[in-house]
Amino acid sequence: MSSSVNRITLLGNVGKDPELIQTSNKPFAVFSLATTENFKKPNGEWKDETEWHKVKCFGYASGRVMNQVQKGSLVYVEGKLTSYEGTDNKRFWEVRCYTWRILD
């Protein structure tokens, strides 16, 4: 029997106000989250490296996101990493949010 875990935890700042997307299945809220690492390069110089993550929240959480999250908010997110195929056979990654908290 094989087992696996798909769990992601992020702590970062929201890049722009969330957007509510209406679909035939169910609405969801989507927002971008920036995580930044600060590290020292071999030459001694410090560098910041920022990654942007697409976060989707469904159900009750989507309404809360729309009411409470805004650009610049410091947010803790737990969820799973999912991927989908876009145009030109490109692969895109997003975080399907299970839970989140505003920390500021």
Side-chain angles (χ1 to χ4, degrees), residues 30-65:
V30 63
F31 61 93
S32 59
L33 189 72
T35 57
T36 303
E37 290 184 74
N38 184 279
F39 60 94
K40 195 180 232 182
K41 293 169 44 174
N43 67 3
E45 178 185 343
W46 284 94
K47 180 176 178 164
D48 288 339
E49 196 166 275
T50 301
E51 293 284 339
W52 286 95
H53 312 274
K54 182 178 184 178
V55 179
K56 283 185 178 179
C57 299
F58 294 85
Y60 176 72
S62 66
R64 286 186 48 235
V65 165

Side-chain angles (χ1 to χ4, degrees), residues 15-27:
K16 63 179 183 176
D17 289 341
E19 183 180 352
L20 186 64
I21 309 292
Q22 296 285 349
T23 66
S24 57
N25 294 337
K26 56 185 170 182

